[in-house]
Amino acid sequence: MEYLVVYDVDTTTPAGERRLRQVAKVCEGYGLRVQKSVFEMTCMPAQLPRLRQTLTDIIDKTRDNVRLYRLQEGTLNSVERLGIAELAPHRGDHIL
Amino acid sequence: MEYLVVYDVDTTTPAGERRLRQVAKVCEGYGLRVQKSVFEMTCMPAQLPRLRQTLTDIIDKTRDNVRLYRLQEGTLNSVERLGIAELAPHRGDHIL
């Protein structure tokens, strides 16, 4: 399964800065960072609930914004890129 | 057609700040902003080349990073959301 995870974490407080780092760190376990707050993921269906739960536990539900887009298989290898954007070197399902 | 456009514009210079504002403004003409640098778009196939060209003309190709993800029809109405993320009120193809 291919997913795109994007987030806006409110970093106006030190706690927010910490949440931002935690969200990024969790996402690094599931996929590849392609922008500051955008991760591409190739993962197994069984991994999704844990990712969702972990992110839910980290974020401030009244301040932070996380969106998970399910992509059609093959999207990540054909994403349109402008400027310095590059294809991310995914290699099948990411193993945690 | 549903698209997700995400961007990282290098804002370490005043020119970069200006490019960031320009990119956002262009994207506002095609879709709805759902995060600081994430736009959801529902547009007609014929609109895509113009969007791509306009963004290409604005960005600094050696510093900025723009990615356009083609989504399956219906993705925008079923995106998974955590925290304050909300469904964006798309209403068919956005008319420019």
PDB file of all heavy atoms in Angstrom, chain A residues 6-8 34-36 40 52 64-69 80 82 84-86, chain B residues 6-8 34-36 40 52 64-69 80 82 84-86:
ATOM      1  N   VAL A   6       1.071  13.871   5.412  1.00  0.00           N
ATOM      2  CA  VAL A   6       1.481  15.281   5.498  1.00  0.00           C
ATOM      3  C   VAL A   6       1.027  15.819   6.849  1.00  0.00           C
ATOM      4  O   VAL A   6       0.001  15.404   7.378  1.00  0.00           O
ATOM      5  CB  VAL A   6       0.867  16.118   4.347  1.00  0.00           C
ATOM      6  CG1 VAL A   6       1.285  15.567   2.999  1.00  0.00           C
ATOM      7  CG2 VAL A   6      -0.654  16.162   4.433  1.00  0.00           C
ATOM      8  N   TYR A   7       1.817  16.724   7.406  1.00  0.00           N
ATOM      9  CA  TYR A   7       1.423  17.240   8.715  1.00  0.00           C
ATOM     10  C   TYR A   7       1.816  18.693   8.908  1.00  0.00           C
ATOM     11  O   TYR A   7       2.799  19.170   8.352  1.00  0.00           O
ATOM     12  CB  TYR A   7       1.991  16.387   9.850  1.00  0.00           C
ATOM     13  CG  TYR A   7       3.475  16.125   9.779  1.00  0.00           C
ATOM     14  CD1 TYR A   7       4.389  17.044  10.275  1.00  0.00           C
ATOM     15  CD2 TYR A   7       3.961  14.958   9.204  1.00  0.00           C
ATOM     16  CE1 TYR A   7       5.762  16.803  10.204  1.00  0.00           C
ATOM     17  CE2 TYR A   7       5.320  14.715   9.127  1.00  0.00           C
ATOM     18  CZ  TYR A   7       6.210  15.632   9.628  1.00  0.00           C
ATOM     19  OH  TYR A   7       7.565  15.391   9.547  1.00  0.00           O
ATOM     20  N   ASP A   8       1.003  19.369   9.676  1.00  0.00           N
ATOM     21  CA  ASP A   8       1.302  20.700  10.197  1.00  0.00           C
ATOM     22  C   ASP A   8       1.229  20.561  11.707  1.00  0.00           C
ATOM     23  O   ASP A   8       0.144  20.300  12.258  1.00  0.00           O
ATOM     24  CB  ASP A   8       0.229  21.715   9.768  1.00  0.00           C
ATOM     25  CG  ASP A   8       0.626  22.527   8.550  1.00  0.00           C
ATOM     26  OD1 ASP A   8       1.764  22.366   8.073  1.00  0.00           O
ATOM     27  OD2 ASP A   8      -0.200  23.308   8.073  1.00  0.00           O
ATOM     28  N   VAL A  34      10.122  13.286   1.886  1.00  0.00           N
ATOM     29  CA  VAL A  34      10.348  13.919   0.589  1.00  0.00           C
ATOM     30  C   VAL A  34      10.245  15.436   0.678  1.00  0.00           C
ATOM     31  O   VAL A  34      10.685  16.148  -0.227  1.00  0.00           O
ATOM     32  CB  VAL A  34       9.371  13.390  -0.490  1.00  0.00           C
ATOM     33  CG1 VAL A  34       9.673  11.922  -0.799  1.00  0.00           C
ATOM     34  CG2 VAL A  34       7.925  13.575  -0.058  1.00  0.00           C
ATOM     35  N   GLN A  35       9.664  15.937   1.760  1.00  0.00           N
ATOM     36  CA  GLN A  35       9.665  17.370   2.053  1.00  0.00           C
ATOM     37  C   GLN A  35       9.680  17.511   3.565  1.00  0.00           C
ATOM     38  O   GLN A  35       9.589  16.538   4.292  1.00  0.00           O
ATOM     39  CB  GLN A  35       8.429  18.060   1.449  1.00  0.00           C
ATOM     40  CG  GLN A  35       8.498  18.184  -0.069  1.00  0.00           C
ATOM     41  CD  GLN A  35       7.359  18.997  -0.655  1.00  0.00           C
ATOM     42  OE1 GLN A  35       6.491  19.488   0.056  1.00  0.00           O
ATOM     43  NE2 GLN A  35       7.365  19.127  -1.964  1.00  0.00           N
ATOM     44  N   LYS A  36       9.773  18.765   4.038  1.00  0.00           N
ATOM     45  CA  LYS A  36       9.891  18.986   5.478  1.00  0.00           C
ATOM     46  C   LYS A  36       8.812  18.262   6.268  1.00  0.00           C
ATOM     47  O   LYS A  36       9.070  17.674   7.312  1.00  0.00           O
ATOM     48  CB  LYS A  36       9.830  20.481   5.777  1.00  0.00           C
ATOM     49  CG  LYS A  36      11.145  21.184   5.583  1.00  0.00           C
ATOM     50  CD  LYS A  36      11.012  22.647   6.022  1.00  0.00           C
ATOM     51  CE  LYS A  36      11.938  23.526   5.205  1.00  0.00           C
ATOM     52  NZ  LYS A  36      11.353  24.809   4.839  1.00  0.00           N
ATOM     53  N   GLU A  40       6.453   9.844   2.138  1.00  0.00           N
ATOM     54  CA  GLU A  40       5.877   8.820   1.277  1.00  0.00           C
ATOM     55  C   GLU A  40       6.083   7.483   1.966  1.00  0.00           C
ATOM     56  O   GLU A  40       7.169   7.204   2.477  1.00  0.00           O
ATOM     57  CB  GLU A  40       6.578   8.810  -0.081  1.00  0.00           C
ATOM     58  CG  GLU A  40       6.351  10.072  -0.896  1.00  0.00           C
ATOM     59  CD  GLU A  40       7.027  10.016  -2.258  1.00  0.00           C
ATOM     60  OE1 GLU A  40       7.826   9.075  -2.503  1.00  0.00           O
ATOM     61  OE2 GLU A  40       6.760  10.910  -3.075  1.00  0.00           O
ATOM     62  N   ARG A  52      -1.304   5.079  12.778  1.00  0.00           N
ATOM     63  CA  ARG A  52      -2.375   6.019  13.102  1.00  0.00           C
ATOM     64  C   ARG A  52      -2.441   6.261  14.612  1.00  0.00           C
ATOM     65  O   ARG A  52      -2.555   7.386  15.082  1.00  0.00           O
ATOM     66  CB  ARG A  52      -3.696   5.434  12.593  1.00  0.00           C
ATOM     67  CG  ARG A  52      -4.797   6.433  12.407  1.00  0.00           C
ATOM     68  CD  ARG A  52      -6.047   5.728  11.935  1.00  0.00           C
ATOM     69  NE  ARG A  52      -5.941   5.176  10.594  1.00  0.00           N
ATOM     70  CZ  ARG A  52      -6.103   3.900  10.255  1.00  0.00           C
ATOM     71  NH1 ARG A  52      -6.390   2.999  11.180  1.00  0.00           N
ATOM     72  NH2 ARG A  52      -5.997   3.516   9.010  1.00  0.00           N
ATOM     73  N   ASP A  64      -2.694  20.364  16.133  1.00  0.00           N
ATOM     74  CA  ASP A  64      -1.927  19.775  15.041  1.00  0.00           C
ATOM     75  C   ASP A  64      -2.849  19.154  13.990  1.00  0.00           C
ATOM     76  O   ASP A  64      -3.989  18.799  14.273  1.00  0.00           O
ATOM     77  CB  ASP A  64      -0.962  18.714  15.592  1.00  0.00           C
ATOM     78  CG  ASP A  64      -0.052  19.280  16.678  1.00  0.00           C
ATOM     79  OD1 ASP A  64       0.224  20.495  16.631  1.00  0.00           O
ATOM     80  OD2 ASP A  64       0.354  18.513  17.559  1.00  0.00           O
ATOM     81  N   ASN A  65      -2.300  19.038  12.785  1.00  0.00           N
ATOM     82  CA  ASN A  65      -3.091  18.632  11.626  1.00  0.00           C
ATOM     83  C   ASN A  65      -2.304  17.566  10.867  1.00  0.00           C
ATOM     84  O   ASN A  65      -1.225  17.842  10.348  1.00  0.00           O
ATOM     85  CB  ASN A  65      -3.317  19.908  10.779  1.00  0.00           C
ATOM     86  CG  ASN A  65      -4.058  19.678   9.484  1.00  0.00           C
ATOM     87  OD1 ASN A  65      -3.987  18.599   8.894  1.00  0.00           O
ATOM     88  ND2 ASN A  65      -4.753  20.702   9.023  1.00  0.00           N
ATOM     89  N   VAL A  66      -2.834  16.351  10.842  1.00  0.00           N
ATOM     90  CA  VAL A  66      -2.177  15.255  10.117  1.00  0.00           C
ATOM     91  C   VAL A  66      -3.165  14.667   9.126  1.00  0.00           C
ATOM     92  O   VAL A  66      -4.329  14.439   9.461  1.00  0.00           O
ATOM     93  CB  VAL A  66      -1.705  14.136  11.083  1.00  0.00           C
ATOM     94  CG1 VAL A  66      -1.002  13.016  10.312  1.00  0.00           C
ATOM     95  CG2 VAL A  66      -0.766  14.704  12.143  1.00  0.00           C
ATOM     96  N   ARG A  67      -2.711  14.443   7.915  1.00  0.00           N
ATOM     97  CA  ARG A  67      -3.566  13.873   6.875  1.00  0.00           C
ATOM     98  C   ARG A  67      -2.858  12.690   6.229  1.00  0.00           C
ATOM     99  O   ARG A  67      -1.673  12.784   5.893  1.00  0.00           O
ATOM    100  CB  ARG A  67      -3.899  14.921   5.806  1.00  0.00           C
ATOM    101  CG  ARG A  67      -4.479  16.195   6.377  1.00  0.00           C
ATOM    102  CD  ARG A  67      -4.699  17.259   5.324  1.00  0.00           C
ATOM    103  NE  ARG A  67      -5.888  17.042   4.520  1.00  0.00           N
ATOM    104  CZ  ARG A  67      -7.100  17.454   4.876  1.00  0.00           C
ATOM    105  NH1 ARG A  67      -7.274  18.117   6.007  1.00  0.00           N
ATOM    106  NH2 ARG A  67      -8.133  17.213   4.107  1.00  0.00           N
ATOM    107  N   LEU A  68      -3.576  11.605   6.043  1.00  0.00           N
ATOM    108  CA  LEU A  68      -3.018  10.404   5.415  1.00  0.00           C
ATOM    109  C   LEU A  68      -3.797  10.114   4.137  1.00  0.00           C
ATOM    110  O   LEU A  68      -4.997   9.844   4.182  1.00  0.00           O
ATOM    111  CB  LEU A  68      -3.128   9.193   6.351  1.00  0.00           C
ATOM    112  CG  LEU A  68      -2.408   9.252   7.704  1.00  0.00           C
ATOM    113  CD1 LEU A  68      -3.299   9.854   8.771  1.00  0.00           C
ATOM    114  CD2 LEU A  68      -1.993   7.844   8.137  1.00  0.00           C
ATOM    115  N   TYR A  69      -3.109  10.178   3.008  1.00  0.00           N
ATOM    116  CA  TYR A  69      -3.742   9.928   1.720  1.00  0.00           C
ATOM    117  C   TYR A  69      -3.364   8.544   1.206  1.00  0.00           C
ATOM    118  O   TYR A  69      -2.183   8.252   1.031  1.00  0.00           O
ATOM    119  CB  TYR A  69      -3.294  10.966   0.683  1.00  0.00           C
ATOM    120  CG  TYR A  69      -3.733  12.374   1.003  1.00  0.00           C
ATOM    121  CD1 TYR A  69      -2.968  13.187   1.833  1.00  0.00           C
ATOM    122  CD2 TYR A  69      -4.917  12.884   0.494  1.00  0.00           C
ATOM    123  CE1 TYR A  69      -3.371  14.473   2.137  1.00  0.00           C
ATOM    124  CE2 TYR A  69      -5.327  14.177   0.795  1.00  0.00           C
ATOM    125  CZ  TYR A  69      -4.549  14.959   1.621  1.00  0.00           C
ATOM    126  OH  TYR A  69      -4.953  16.233   1.933  1.00  0.00           O
ATOM    127  N   GLU A  80       4.731  13.656 -10.194  1.00  0.00           N
ATOM    128  CA  GLU A  80       5.286  14.766 -10.967  1.00  0.00           C
ATOM    129  C   GLU A  80       6.111  15.640 -10.042  1.00  0.00           C
ATOM    130  O   GLU A  80       5.679  15.979  -8.943  1.00  0.00           O
ATOM    131  CB  GLU A  80       4.165  15.601 -11.573  1.00  0.00           C
ATOM    132  CG  GLU A  80       3.435  14.897 -12.678  1.00  0.00           C
ATOM    133  CD  GLU A  80       2.515  15.851 -13.400  1.00  0.00           C
ATOM    134  OE1 GLU A  80       3.000  16.873 -13.914  1.00  0.00           O
ATOM    135  OE2 GLU A  80       1.305  15.590 -13.418  1.00  0.00           O
ATOM    136  N   LEU A  82       8.782  19.111  -9.621  1.00  0.00           N
ATOM    137  CA  LEU A  82       9.336  20.354 -10.159  1.00  0.00           C
ATOM    138  C   LEU A  82      10.481  20.796  -9.244  1.00  0.00           C
ATOM    139  O   LEU A  82      10.466  20.524  -8.048  1.00  0.00           O
ATOM    140  CB  LEU A  82       8.261  21.449 -10.190  1.00  0.00           C
ATOM    141  CG  LEU A  82       6.953  21.122 -10.927  1.00  0.00           C
ATOM    142  CD1 LEU A  82       5.990  22.304 -10.823  1.00  0.00           C
ATOM    143  CD2 LEU A  82       7.212  20.765 -12.374  1.00  0.00           C
ATOM    144  N   ILE A  84      13.840  20.885  -7.300  1.00  0.00           N
ATOM    145  CA  ILE A  84      14.792  19.883  -6.802  1.00  0.00           C
ATOM    146  C   ILE A  84      14.111  18.607  -6.303  1.00  0.00           C
ATOM    147  O   ILE A  84      14.767  17.730  -5.759  1.00  0.00           O
ATOM    148  CB  ILE A  84      15.659  20.461  -5.655  1.00  0.00           C
ATOM    149  CG1 ILE A  84      14.769  20.921  -4.484  1.00  0.00           C
ATOM    150  CG2 ILE A  84      16.522  21.607  -6.143  1.00  0.00           C
ATOM    151  CD1 ILE A  84      15.564  21.315  -3.248  1.00  0.00           C
ATOM    152  N   ALA A  85      12.786  18.516  -6.480  1.00  0.00           N
ATOM    153  CA  ALA A  85      12.080  17.308  -6.037  1.00  0.00           C
ATOM    154  C   ALA A  85      12.594  16.087  -6.799  1.00  0.00           C
ATOM    155  O   ALA A  85      12.781  16.145  -8.012  1.00  0.00           O
ATOM    156  CB  ALA A  85      10.579  17.477  -6.255  1.00  0.00           C
ATOM    157  N   GLU A  86      12.820  15.004  -6.076  1.00  0.00           N
ATOM    158  CA  GLU A  86      13.316  13.781  -6.711  1.00  0.00           C
ATOM    159  C   GLU A  86      12.418  12.603  -6.395  1.00  0.00           C
ATOM    160  O   GLU A  86      11.667  12.632  -5.417  1.00  0.00           O
ATOM    161  CB  GLU A  86      14.729  13.465  -6.194  1.00  0.00           C
ATOM    162  CG  GLU A  86      15.751  14.489  -6.620  1.00  0.00           C
ATOM    163  CD  GLU A  86      17.160  14.100  -6.196  1.00  0.00           C
ATOM    164  OE1 GLU A  86      17.299  13.143  -5.401  1.00  0.00           O
ATOM    165  OE2 GLU A  86      18.091  14.759  -6.660  1.00  0.00           O
TER     166      GLU A  86
ATOM    167  N   VAL B   6       2.064  19.511  -3.027  1.00  0.00           N
ATOM    168  CA  VAL B   6       2.815  19.845  -1.798  1.00  0.00           C
ATOM    169  C   VAL B   6       4.092  20.546  -2.218  1.00  0.00           C
ATOM    170  O   VAL B   6       4.652  20.262  -3.271  1.00  0.00           O
ATOM    171  CB  VAL B   6       3.144  18.576  -0.972  1.00  0.00           C
ATOM    172  CG1 VAL B   6       1.877  17.841  -0.589  1.00  0.00           C
ATOM    173  CG2 VAL B   6       4.075  17.626  -1.723  1.00  0.00           C
ATOM    174  N   TYR B   7       4.529  21.488  -1.409  1.00  0.00           N
ATOM    175  CA  TYR B   7       5.745  22.204  -1.791  1.00  0.00           C
ATOM    176  C   TYR B   7       6.584  22.624  -0.592  1.00  0.00           C
ATOM    177  O   TYR B   7       6.077  22.852   0.501  1.00  0.00           O
ATOM    178  CB  TYR B   7       5.419  23.430  -2.653  1.00  0.00           C
ATOM    179  CG  TYR B   7       4.381  24.360  -2.074  1.00  0.00           C
ATOM    180  CD1 TYR B   7       4.734  25.353  -1.156  1.00  0.00           C
ATOM    181  CD2 TYR B   7       3.050  24.257  -2.450  1.00  0.00           C
ATOM    182  CE1 TYR B   7       3.778  26.217  -0.629  1.00  0.00           C
ATOM    183  CE2 TYR B   7       2.089  25.111  -1.923  1.00  0.00           C
ATOM    184  CZ  TYR B   7       2.453  26.092  -1.016  1.00  0.00           C
ATOM    185  OH  TYR B   7       1.507  26.928  -0.499  1.00  0.00           O
ATOM    186  N   ASP B   8       7.873  22.656  -0.837  1.00  0.00           N
ATOM    187  CA  ASP B   8       8.849  23.246   0.077  1.00  0.00           C
ATOM    188  C   ASP B   8       9.550  24.320  -0.728  1.00  0.00           C
ATOM    189  O   ASP B   8      10.244  24.014  -1.707  1.00  0.00           O
ATOM    190  CB  ASP B   8       9.915  22.201   0.484  1.00  0.00           C
ATOM    191  CG  ASP B   8       9.626  21.555   1.824  1.00  0.00           C
ATOM    192  OD1 ASP B   8       8.650  21.954   2.481  1.00  0.00           O
ATOM    193  OD2 ASP B   8      10.374  20.650   2.206  1.00  0.00           O
ATOM    194  N   VAL B  34      -5.124  22.890   2.587  1.00  0.00           N
ATOM    195  CA  VAL B  34      -5.473  22.073   3.744  1.00  0.00           C
ATOM    196  C   VAL B  34      -4.368  22.065   4.802  1.00  0.00           C
ATOM    197  O   VAL B  34      -4.593  21.668   5.939  1.00  0.00           O
ATOM    198  CB  VAL B  34      -5.822  20.619   3.327  1.00  0.00           C
ATOM    199  CG1 VAL B  34      -7.112  20.594   2.506  1.00  0.00           C
ATOM    200  CG2 VAL B  34      -4.677  19.969   2.572  1.00  0.00           C
ATOM    201  N   GLN B  35      -3.182  22.494   4.378  1.00  0.00           N
ATOM    202  CA  GLN B  35      -2.083  22.707   5.329  1.00  0.00           C
ATOM    203  C   GLN B  35      -1.241  23.850   4.776  1.00  0.00           C
ATOM    204  O   GLN B  35      -1.487  24.339   3.679  1.00  0.00           O
ATOM    205  CB  GLN B  35      -1.222  21.445   5.505  1.00  0.00           C
ATOM    206  CG  GLN B  35      -1.929  20.364   6.310  1.00  0.00           C
ATOM    207  CD  GLN B  35      -1.056  19.157   6.617  1.00  0.00           C
ATOM    208  OE1 GLN B  35       0.110  19.100   6.226  1.00  0.00           O
ATOM    209  NE2 GLN B  35      -1.616  18.193   7.315  1.00  0.00           N
ATOM    210  N   LYS B  36      -0.228  24.265   5.547  1.00  0.00           N
ATOM    211  CA  LYS B  36       0.568  25.422   5.133  1.00  0.00           C
ATOM    212  C   LYS B  36       1.088  25.281   3.708  1.00  0.00           C
ATOM    213  O   LYS B  36       1.073  26.230   2.942  1.00  0.00           O
ATOM    214  CB  LYS B  36       1.757  25.604   6.085  1.00  0.00           C
ATOM    215  CG  LYS B  36       1.401  26.374   7.338  1.00  0.00           C
ATOM    216  CD  LYS B  36       2.660  26.576   8.191  1.00  0.00           C
ATOM    217  CE  LYS B  36       2.327  26.588   9.659  1.00  0.00           C
ATOM    218  NZ  LYS B  36       3.324  25.929  10.486  1.00  0.00           N
ATOM    219  N   GLU B  40      -5.247  20.625  -1.909  1.00  0.00           N
ATOM    220  CA  GLU B  40      -6.034  19.594  -2.581  1.00  0.00           C
ATOM    221  C   GLU B  40      -6.700  20.256  -3.784  1.00  0.00           C
ATOM    222  O   GLU B  40      -7.245  21.351  -3.659  1.00  0.00           O
ATOM    223  CB  GLU B  40      -7.107  19.044  -1.641  1.00  0.00           C
ATOM    224  CG  GLU B  40      -6.540  18.283  -0.457  1.00  0.00           C
ATOM    225  CD  GLU B  40      -7.647  17.715   0.443  1.00  0.00           C
ATOM    226  OE1 GLU B  40      -8.824  18.070   0.244  1.00  0.00           O
ATOM    227  OE2 GLU B  40      -7.302  16.924   1.339  1.00  0.00           O
ATOM    228  N   ARG B  52       1.212  23.421 -14.024  1.00  0.00           N
ATOM    229  CA  ARG B  52       2.602  22.950 -13.998  1.00  0.00           C
ATOM    230  C   ARG B  52       3.548  24.031 -14.534  1.00  0.00           C
ATOM    231  O   ARG B  52       4.584  24.311 -13.959  1.00  0.00           O
ATOM    232  CB  ARG B  52       2.690  21.684 -14.850  1.00  0.00           C
ATOM    233  CG  ARG B  52       3.873  20.815 -14.582  1.00  0.00           C
ATOM    234  CD  ARG B  52       3.884  19.638 -15.538  1.00  0.00           C
ATOM    235  NE  ARG B  52       2.802  18.692 -15.307  1.00  0.00           N
ATOM    236  CZ  ARG B  52       1.881  18.347 -16.216  1.00  0.00           C
ATOM    237  NH1 ARG B  52       1.906  18.850 -17.435  1.00  0.00           N
ATOM    238  NH2 ARG B  52       0.927  17.478 -15.921  1.00  0.00           N
ATOM    239  N   ASP B  64      13.802  25.026  -4.784  1.00  0.00           N
ATOM    240  CA  ASP B  64      12.432  24.709  -4.362  1.00  0.00           C
ATOM    241  C   ASP B  64      12.017  23.311  -4.812  1.00  0.00           C
ATOM    242  O   ASP B  64      12.550  22.768  -5.774  1.00  0.00           O
ATOM    243  CB  ASP B  64      11.466  25.766  -4.913  1.00  0.00           C
ATOM    244  CG  ASP B  64      11.877  27.173  -4.512  1.00  0.00           C
ATOM    245  OD1 ASP B  64      12.512  27.330  -3.445  1.00  0.00           O
ATOM    246  OD2 ASP B  64      11.578  28.113  -5.276  1.00  0.00           O
ATOM    247  N   ASN B  65      11.043  22.781  -4.102  1.00  0.00           N
ATOM    248  CA  ASN B  65      10.638  21.383  -4.286  1.00  0.00           C
ATOM    249  C   ASN B  65       9.114  21.335  -4.345  1.00  0.00           C
ATOM    250  O   ASN B  65       8.437  21.665  -3.379  1.00  0.00           O
ATOM    251  CB  ASN B  65      11.188  20.612  -3.065  1.00  0.00           C
ATOM    252  CG  ASN B  65      10.822  19.150  -3.034  1.00  0.00           C
ATOM    253  OD1 ASN B  65       9.767  18.746  -3.532  1.00  0.00           O
ATOM    254  ND2 ASN B  65      11.674  18.338  -2.420  1.00  0.00           N
ATOM    255  N   VAL B  66       8.594  20.967  -5.510  1.00  0.00           N
ATOM    256  CA  VAL B  66       7.142  20.864  -5.673  1.00  0.00           C
ATOM    257  C   VAL B  66       6.803  19.467  -6.162  1.00  0.00           C
ATOM    258  O   VAL B  66       7.460  18.943  -7.065  1.00  0.00           O
ATOM    259  CB  VAL B  66       6.606  21.900  -6.693  1.00  0.00           C
ATOM    260  CG1 VAL B  66       5.092  21.779  -6.843  1.00  0.00           C
ATOM    261  CG2 VAL B  66       6.978  23.316  -6.276  1.00  0.00           C
ATOM    262  N   ARG B  67       5.788  18.860  -5.570  1.00  0.00           N
ATOM    263  CA  ARG B  67       5.380  17.512  -5.965  1.00  0.00           C
ATOM    264  C   ARG B  67       3.875  17.505  -6.209  1.00  0.00           C
ATOM    265  O   ARG B  67       3.104  18.042  -5.412  1.00  0.00           O
ATOM    266  CB  ARG B  67       5.731  16.495  -4.872  1.00  0.00           C
ATOM    267  CG  ARG B  67       7.199  16.530  -4.478  1.00  0.00           C
ATOM    268  CD  ARG B  67       7.516  15.618  -3.318  1.00  0.00           C
ATOM    269  NE  ARG B  67       7.630  14.227  -3.708  1.00  0.00           N
ATOM    270  CZ  ARG B  67       8.746  13.673  -4.177  1.00  0.00           C
ATOM    271  NH1 ARG B  67       9.837  14.389  -4.303  1.00  0.00           N
ATOM    272  NH2 ARG B  67       8.768  12.402  -4.519  1.00  0.00           N
ATOM    273  N   LEU B  68       3.476  16.877  -7.296  1.00  0.00           N
ATOM    274  CA  LEU B  68       2.047  16.779  -7.637  1.00  0.00           C
ATOM    275  C   LEU B  68       1.653  15.311  -7.667  1.00  0.00           C
ATOM    276  O   LEU B  68       2.173  14.536  -8.485  1.00  0.00           O
ATOM    277  CB  LEU B  68       1.772  17.399  -9.016  1.00  0.00           C
ATOM    278  CG  LEU B  68       2.069  18.892  -9.209  1.00  0.00           C
ATOM    279  CD1 LEU B  68       3.509  19.103  -9.648  1.00  0.00           C
ATOM    280  CD2 LEU B  68       1.125  19.482 -10.260  1.00  0.00           C
ATOM    281  N   TYR B  69       0.749  14.919  -6.787  1.00  0.00           N
ATOM    282  CA  TYR B  69       0.304  13.530  -6.714  1.00  0.00           C
ATOM    283  C   TYR B  69      -1.077  13.392  -7.331  1.00  0.00           C
ATOM    284  O   TYR B  69      -2.026  14.038  -6.882  1.00  0.00           O
ATOM    285  CB  TYR B  69       0.235  13.050  -5.258  1.00  0.00           C
ATOM    286  CG  TYR B  69       1.570  13.008  -4.564  1.00  0.00           C
ATOM    287  CD1 TYR B  69       2.092  14.143  -3.945  1.00  0.00           C
ATOM    288  CD2 TYR B  69       2.326  11.839  -4.551  1.00  0.00           C
ATOM    289  CE1 TYR B  69       3.327  14.112  -3.316  1.00  0.00           C
ATOM    290  CE2 TYR B  69       3.567  11.805  -3.920  1.00  0.00           C
ATOM    291  CZ  TYR B  69       4.060  12.936  -3.315  1.00  0.00           C
ATOM    292  OH  TYR B  69       5.288  12.907  -2.699  1.00  0.00           O
ATOM    293  N   GLU B  80      -7.858  10.275   5.542  1.00  0.00           N
ATOM    294  CA  GLU B  80      -7.818  10.064   6.995  1.00  0.00           C
ATOM    295  C   GLU B  80      -7.246  11.304   7.649  1.00  0.00           C
ATOM    296  O   GLU B  80      -6.229  11.839   7.201  1.00  0.00           O
ATOM    297  CB  GLU B  80      -6.925   8.876   7.315  1.00  0.00           C
ATOM    298  CG  GLU B  80      -7.534   7.553   6.921  1.00  0.00           C
ATOM    299  CD  GLU B  80      -6.735   6.414   7.517  1.00  0.00           C
ATOM    300  OE1 GLU B  80      -6.605   6.374   8.756  1.00  0.00           O
ATOM    301  OE2 GLU B  80      -6.233   5.595   6.742  1.00  0.00           O
ATOM    302  N   LEU B  82      -6.223  13.391  11.365  1.00  0.00           N
ATOM    303  CA  LEU B  82      -5.960  13.362  12.807  1.00  0.00           C
ATOM    304  C   LEU B  82      -5.863  14.805  13.302  1.00  0.00           C
ATOM    305  O   LEU B  82      -5.445  15.698  12.569  1.00  0.00           O
ATOM    306  CB  LEU B  82      -4.655  12.637  13.104  1.00  0.00           C
ATOM    307  CG  LEU B  82      -4.491  11.223  12.529  1.00  0.00           C
ATOM    308  CD1 LEU B  82      -3.103  10.678  12.892  1.00  0.00           C
ATOM    309  CD2 LEU B  82      -5.573  10.291  13.054  1.00  0.00           C
ATOM    310  N   ILE B  84      -6.714  18.509  14.169  1.00  0.00           N
ATOM    311  CA  ILE B  84      -7.651  19.508  13.669  1.00  0.00           C
ATOM    312  C   ILE B  84      -7.882  19.423  12.161  1.00  0.00           C
ATOM    313  O   ILE B  84      -8.554  20.271  11.581  1.00  0.00           O
ATOM    314  CB  ILE B  84      -7.186  20.946  14.016  1.00  0.00           C
ATOM    315  CG1 ILE B  84      -5.815  21.226  13.400  1.00  0.00           C
ATOM    316  CG2 ILE B  84      -7.163  21.157  15.521  1.00  0.00           C
ATOM    317  CD1 ILE B  84      -5.378  22.683  13.543  1.00  0.00           C
ATOM    318  N   ALA B  85      -7.307  18.420  11.518  1.00  0.00           N
ATOM    319  CA  ALA B  85      -7.493  18.275  10.070  1.00  0.00           C
ATOM    320  C   ALA B  85      -8.968  18.045   9.762  1.00  0.00           C
ATOM    321  O   ALA B  85      -9.636  17.266  10.431  1.00  0.00           O
ATOM    322  CB  ALA B  85      -6.650  17.113   9.551  1.00  0.00           C
ATOM    323  N   GLU B  86      -9.459  18.734   8.742  1.00  0.00           N
ATOM    324  CA  GLU B  86     -10.864  18.592   8.348  1.00  0.00           C
ATOM    325  C   GLU B  86     -10.972  18.224   6.882  1.00  0.00           C
ATOM    326  O   GLU B  86     -10.057  18.456   6.110  1.00  0.00           O
ATOM    327  CB  GLU B  86     -11.600  19.914   8.587  1.00  0.00           C
ATOM    328  CG  GLU B  86     -11.688  20.296  10.049  1.00  0.00           C
ATOM    329  CD  GLU B  86     -12.534  21.532  10.263  1.00  0.00           C
ATOM    330  OE1 GLU B  86     -12.843  22.217   9.267  1.00  0.00           O
ATOM    331  OE2 GLU B  86     -12.884  21.803  11.421  1.00  0.00           O
TER     332      GLU B  86
END
